Amino acid sequence: MESKRASIIRESLDALAEDATFLPDLKDKEREKAFKSLVSLLSTPNHVHKSFLRVPLEDQQVIRIPAYRVQHNDIMGPYKGGIRFHESVNEDETINLAALMTLKNALHEVPFGGGKGGVEIDPKDFSPKELNLICKKYVQNFSSTLGTEKDIPAPDMGTGEREMDWMMAEYKTIHPGKTYRGSFTGKSIMNGGSLGRREATGKGVYFTFRYMIHDFIKENKQWFNKIDNRFAKTALSYYDQQLEIAVQGFGNVGSVASLEAYHCDHLRNKVVAVSDRNVVLYNSEGLDIPSLIEFKNKHEEDLPTSKHELSEAGIKADVLNRDDILSLDVDVLILAALEDQIHEGNMADIKADILVEGANAPITEEADEYLADKGVVIVPDILANAGGVIVSYLEWMQGRETQFYDEDQIYKLLFDKMKSTVETIYPQFFGDPFPLRQNCYIHSVMKLSTVLYRQGKLY
Ligand code: GLU
């Protein structure tokens, strides 16, 4: 069966084939063949590397762990994308996520292709020493495919700066004398990482939402009032209103996005609910996000789960069941947990009018279609969560130049980049009947197709 990404890529190419102003030199039969070639080039990965890591555990047992590196497309630059440590990692998912990286980088004009890696483990089951060994083995097994100008991994779910530091160190050991700072991004600051990288995805997610619901409307109010588009009407109805926000997931993306919302003075915002793998915390007056972050930092990343823990931390909230987050009666739902969270089974329960994808692929294909048909505005992953890879690119550049930017410079570059993408996408989106995801895909696919054509790859 065709995957969700592959089918949207094909639909985007079908739409572009109809548009005679796009690649006008291609006509008739030649055009038909070129677009068929583009479908097959963009909907399949260039390489799928799989390896079983041999890992001796501290209790003397030796285990084999499935690990992947998928290189989807490098027409725009070296493959780029995170390495995920999670028990649900598998080949198909890694291929899908690598394709998303190709589209994400093309959309934001980050000069990288798309890749993704994964190791099928729950990192909580391993000691730091074992995790260090898993990281080293990963680099050893995929060493010939990785590199500063070839394929540059970064953190993803279950990995962070500690793992990237270990991996870069192993890369340096295996390739003595080669440049190594740009071989991995998302490293610690002391080890050549960039200021702002850790916060970048969450900040970018909130920025995109804020820009959409406030700044863009403010600048284009007259135009908005004139157009007859249901998505534009939804966005406009929230302009300058008190907004209630719920955030699914309180990890690196969800907690930073919540904090941005809490401190935001552009919008009248209240984060009324946040959730993690254990609970939902709800307060209709708005949650004290800084105190929740302080609590989670002290308690192995978990939110308070009982009245007792909440009162100890001085936080006022009701404790609900974990999955209640999706059906709350809020205006905005930021999805910053795992993929496939909204699906056929729960899509009818969604009450929010605006969904923002902080995680990659949190909405299944069926649910996506159903919600878009209902007029829900879905800000897709490739648009909203690119902050991480944008700052990864800045880290990669700083590593090459061995010159480092301060935090303000990083955030300015990050927001300028996201703003410029949004400014190209939104006028089109609010002006035509397609959902935002489709607009973003068409945009990415257009750029990728143009370069593939220019580089003579369609013969
Ligand atoms: N894993 C992140 C993502 O899905 C970041 C990738 C990167 O920085 O290369 O976008």
Side-chain angles (χ1 to χ4, degrees):
M1 203 187 75
E2 196 179 34
S3 76
K4 174 177 171 181
R5 309 299 137 203
S7 67
I8 315 189
I9 288 172
R10 191 179 34 72
E11 280 164 31
S12 305
L13 282 162
D14 288 348
L16 287 170
E18 301 280 300
D19 175 0
T21 61
F22 178 64
L23 299 181
D25 297 349
L26 290 170
K27 294 202 171 49
D28 309 325
K29 276 265 165 282
E30 204 196 342
R31 188 171 183 83
E32 222 174 88
K33 276 189 209 146
F35 277 85
K36 271 199 183 140
S37 314
L38 284 167
V39 172
S40 72
L41 287 178
L42 293 176
S43 57
T44 46
N46 287 356
H47 307 286
V48 177
H49 305 283
K50 178 170 184 178
S51 190
F52 290 89
L53 312 181
R54 189 184 67 82
V55 182
L57 302 179
E58 294 203 69
D59 69 0
Q60 313 296 326
Q61 189 197 336
V62 177
I63 55 165
R64 288 283 213 176
I65 308 173
Y68 307 87
R69 186 70 192 166
V70 174
Q71 300 176 319
H72 178 260
N73 191 286
D74 65 346
I75 197 75
M76 294 299 205
Y79 301 105
K80 182 90 191 83
I83 299 175
R84 176 172 291 199
F85 282 8
H86 197 270
E87 62 273 25
S88 71
V89 162
N90 62 61
E91 189 172 317
D92 282 349
E93 180 203 68
T94 315
I95 293 175
N96 260 328
L97 292 169
L100 271 188
M101 288 308 299
T102 301
L103 296 164
K104 196 187 295 187
N105 290 331
L107 180 67
H108 294 272
E109 288 182 352
V110 175
F112 291 133
K116 199 77 171 195
V119 180
E120 199 190 306
I121 52 163
D122 179 352
K124 287 197 162 58
D125 294 343
F126 296 85
S127 71
K129 199 170 163 192
E130 290 164 343
L131 285 171
N132 173 274
L133 192 57
I134 292 169
C135 287
K136 285 186 181 168
K137 290 276 177 168
Y138 186 93
V139 180
Q140 288 163 17
N141 280 259
F142 298 118
S143 92
S144 60
T145 62
L146 302 175
T148 307
E149 299 295 336
K150 268 195 212 168
D151 183 351
I152 308 134
D156 200 85
M157 222 188 298
T159 55
E161 51 188 45
R162 179 182 69 171
E163 287 72 20
M164 295 306 114
D165 286 355
W166 288 340
M167 288 193 181
M168 188 206 74
E170 187 61 14
Y171 179 85
K172 188 175 168 214
T173 306
I174 297 173
H175 303 284
K178 262 201 185 173
T179 52
Y180 59 86
R181 274 196 193 82
S183 58
F184 287 82
T185 61
K187 305 182 294 295
S188 66
I189 311 288
M190 296 297 287
N191 193 35
S194 174
L195 289 166
R197 173 63 184 82
R198 197 187 61 74
E199 296 83 359
T201 311
K203 276 189 179 268
V205 166
Y206 186 74
F207 175 84
T208 309
F209 157 70
R210 188 200 93 191
Y211 198 78
M212 168 169 207
I213 225 65
H214 183 267
D215 308 19
F216 185 79
I217 298 185
K218 195 172 170 192
E219 281 159 30
N220 300 281
K221 200 94 195 275
Q222 287 194 332
W223 178 75
F224 259 91
N225 283 325
K226 269 188 255 147
I227 58 169
D228 182 25
N229 173 299
R230 61 204 174 119
F231 295 116
K233 287 206 164 76
T234 305
L236 195 59
S237 70
Y238 283 108
Y239 180 70
D240 244 358
Q241 299 299 312
Q242 170 86 53
L243 289 170
E244 293 198 345
I245 302 179
V247 183
Q248 187 200 31
F250 207 63
N252 187 32
V253 181
S255 67
V256 174
S258 303
L259 193 64
E260 288 290 293
Y262 179 87
H263 287 306
C264 178
D265 47 21
H266 289 72
L267 306 183
R268 289 190 289 130
N269 262 342
K270 272 192 297 186
V271 181
V272 294
V274 297
S275 74
D276 69 359
R277 63 200 168 108
N278 304 312
V279 280
V280 171
L281 300 177
Y282 180 82
N283 181 344
S284 59
E285 302 296 311
L287 290 163
D288 177 355
I289 302 296
S291 300
L292 285 173
I293 292 180
E294 204 182 308
F295 183 93
K296 139 191 147 100
N297 289 343
K298 281 198 211 131
H299 295 83
E300 294 183 3
E301 299 291 299
D302 285 333
L303 286 167
T305 53
S306 63
K307 281 275 158 220
H308 171 72
E309 280 184 335
L310 281 163
S311 76
E312 230 172 65
I315 298 163
K316 286 200 193 97
D318 293 330
V319 181
L320 312 177
N321 288 332
R322 187 185 73 170
D323 294 332
D324 292 347
I325 192 82
L326 298 173
S327 53
L328 290 174
D329 193 2
V330 290
D331 305 310
V332 183
L333 180 57
I334 299 180
L335 300 163
L338 288 164
E339 52 257 41
D340 297 339
Q341 293 301 293
I342 302 184
H343 46 75
E344 244 173 329
N346 62 10
M347 62 194 186
D349 303 333
I350 307 298
K351 298 192 186 68
D353 283 327
I354 301 173
L355 302 180
V356 187
E357 295 188 335
N360 288 315
I363 305 176
T364 66
E365 193 174 358
E366 299 78 26
D368 191 47
E369 253 181 67
Y370 169 86
L371 293 166
D373 282 349
K374 267 179 65 179
V376 175
V377 177
I378 303 175
V379 188
D381 43 15
I382 60 169
L383 182 65
N385 77 14
V389 74
I390 292 172
V391 177
S392 272
Y393 165 59
L394 299 174
E395 177 176 338
W396 181 77
M397 283 210 322
Q398 293 170 91
R400 288 182 131 189
E401 292 164 12
T402 48
Q403 287 283 332
F404 290 86
Y405 300 133
D406 65 34
E407 210 168 42
D408 289 345
Q409 287 170 312
I410 292 288
Y411 292 140
K412 179 164 181 349
L413 289 165
L414 167 65
F415 296 145
D416 282 353
K417 186 118 197 107
M418 296 198 89
K419 185 172 167 216
S420 99
T421 309
V422 162
E423 271 170 355
T424 355
I425 298 290
Y426 282 172
Q428 169 88 18
F429 163 56
F430 286 124
D432 78 16
F434 295 121
L436 184 51
R437 193 187 308 280
Q438 187 77 39
N439 272 286
C440 291
Y441 270 59
I442 290 183
H443 211 80
S444 299
V445 165
M446 203 160 78
K447 286 187 192 161
L448 290 159
S449 305
T450 308
V451 178
L452 282 161
Y453 174 63
R454 296 254 151 247
Q455 292 193 12
K457 303 282 186 198
L458 302 185
Y459 294 107

